[in-house]
Amino acid sequence: MNLYDEFFLITEAFEANEIVYAVIGGFALAFHDKPRFTDDIDILVKFESLSKTNIILNELNFFRSTDPHH
């Protein structure tokens, strides 16, 4: 699976579950005509959605690579 397929899998699941999110980092830059190498997708979610977000990502076999920043 490539990063773009993974991105759309995640965002479709978030939208279906009404998770408000923002894509940040290198992957987001690629959509704004500033491509650079990245091998992950950085996503910002509201603290109130964190528990639901973790469930969705676990069901999709993704993992959180860092602790949440509050």
Side-chain angles (χ1 to χ4, degrees):
M1 184 174 277
N2 72 43
L3 208 54
Y4 288 97
D5 291 338
E6 293 175 2
F7 167 74
F8 289 113
L9 183 67
I10 292 168
T11 57
E12 287 171 7
F14 282 3
E15 290 171 15
N17 287 278
E18 300 179 350
I19 302 289
V20 176
Y21 65 92
V23 180
I24 59 175
F27 196 80
L29 287 174
F31 281 93
H32 294 283
D33 201 29
K34 302 278 185 197
R36 67 172 199 178
F37 174 78
T38 186
D39 61 352
D40 67 353
I41 303 170
D42 302 307
I43 301 173
L44 182 67
V45 297
K46 291 183 175 185
F47 180 77
E48 301 82 37
S49 301
L50 190 56
S51 186
K52 192 173 183 180
T53 300
N54 285 331
I55 292 169
I56 293 167
L57 292 175
N58 285 333
E59 289 174 352
L60 295 173
N61 294 316
F62 289 100
F63 66 93
R64 185 177 63 215
S65 60
T66 62
D67 290 330
H69 302 286
H70 302 278

